[in-house]
Structure formats: C-alpha cells, structure tokens
C-alpha cells in the first residue's frame, strides 16, 4: 500500500447505504470515493454486511454491481484485523468497524450510529 496524504476512512454500513444512489442526500460520499478523494478501508466482515444490507434494500443484482466495482477501486483496501477490541458493548456487531479502523490506522469512522458516540456507561 502506497503512503498518501489522503484521509483513511471506515464507512459504517448505514452511511455506505445512503451514499449509493445519485438521488440520495449523501451521494457525495460515494462520489468522492469514486473520485479518489479518500481511502476506504474494509474487512471481509464489513464487505459481508454491505452486501447483506444492499441486497435487502436494493436487490441482489444492484448489490453485486456495487461491490464488484468497489473492491477494484485503487483507493479501497482490504484489511484483516487480527484482534477484536470489543469496545462497543451496546451493539457488539459494530465492533467490526472499530477493529478495522485500528488495523488500518484510520483517521475516521463515519457513522450515524449512536453507539460510536458513547464513551462510558452506555
């Protein structure tokens, strides 16, 4: 992986979903990815959830087209977290994004999920 000055980002599934269609308010997030404006890091777990949720919302054909294309972008990187931090206790399924962020040394996790804002006793 080449060193760049681009932001290293993890997109939670809720953000990724609302960025996919040109008519959506957050399409600019996906468009910026296509324009190589930031680096997206994903794990196999994240890709599986993307596929599951895209299929539920848009159908299998749409899901296959978006994900096949996504993994071939030069600014999308697959990482394999080797440690589970278990930092989000309220929704353990969200930990896949934290683990990926730590493994990728990411700058940001972009999410609308309230569990990422909680620091103690949530």
């Amino acid at each position: 992986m080449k060193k760049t000055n681009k932001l290293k980002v993890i997109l939670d599934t809720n953000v990724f979903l609302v960025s996919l269609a040109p008519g959506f308010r957050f399409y600019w997030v996906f468009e910026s990815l296509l324009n190589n404006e930031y680096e997206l890091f994903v794990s196999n777990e994240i890709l599986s959830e993307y596929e599951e949720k895209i299929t539920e919302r848009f159908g299998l054909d749409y899901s296959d087209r978006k994900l096949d294309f996504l993994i071939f972008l030069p600014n999308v990187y697959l990482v394999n977290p080797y440690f589970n931090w278990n930092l989000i206790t309220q929704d353990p399924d969200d930990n896949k994004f934290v683990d990926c962020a730590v493994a990728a040394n990411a700058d940001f996790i972009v999410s609308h999920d309230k569990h990422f804002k909680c620091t103690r006793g949530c």
Side-chain angles (χ1 to χ4, degrees), residues 82-122:
Y82 292 101
F83 188 80
N84 297 322
W85 292 92
N86 297 315
L87 296 177
I88 301 178
T89 57
Q90 290 296 338
D91 188 359
D93 193 45
D94 287 336
N95 282 307
K96 70 174 124 311
F97 300 101
V98 174
D99 296 340
C100 184
V102 171
N105 196 26
D107 297 304
F108 296 100
I109 298 173
V110 182
S111 177
H112 292 165
D113 192 323
K114 65 182 178 188
H115 299 117
F116 287 96
K117 295 178 186 175
C118 190
T119 56
R120 291 194 180 122
C122 298

Side-chain angles (χ1 to χ4, degrees), residues 4-71:
T4 68
N5 292 327
K6 294 179 188 160
L7 289 177
K8 296 165 94 177
V9 175
I10 310 298
L11 294 179
D12 190 2
T13 306
N14 57 39
V15 173
F16 186 71
L17 277 177
V18 298
S19 75
L20 290 178
F24 286 14
R25 180 175 159 204
F26 294 103
Y27 179 67
W28 66 269
V29 173
F30 190 66
E31 191 172 42
S32 296
L33 178 66
L34 296 177
N35 291 330
N36 202 12
E37 295 176 20
Y38 65 90
E39 296 177 333
L40 176 65
F41 290 81
V42 294
S43 65
N44 283 322
E45 262 190 296
I46 291 172
L47 285 174
S48 294
E49 184 170 295
Y50 283 0
E51 180 179 31
E52 175 188 340
K53 298 302 180 183
I54 293 169
T55 300
E56 285 175 12
R57 188 166 186 168
F58 300 110
L60 186 58
D61 188 47
Y62 189 87
S63 172
D64 287 345
R65 284 193 315 250
K66 285 296 182 184
L67 291 179
D68 286 348
F69 179 69
L70 180 71
I71 60 175

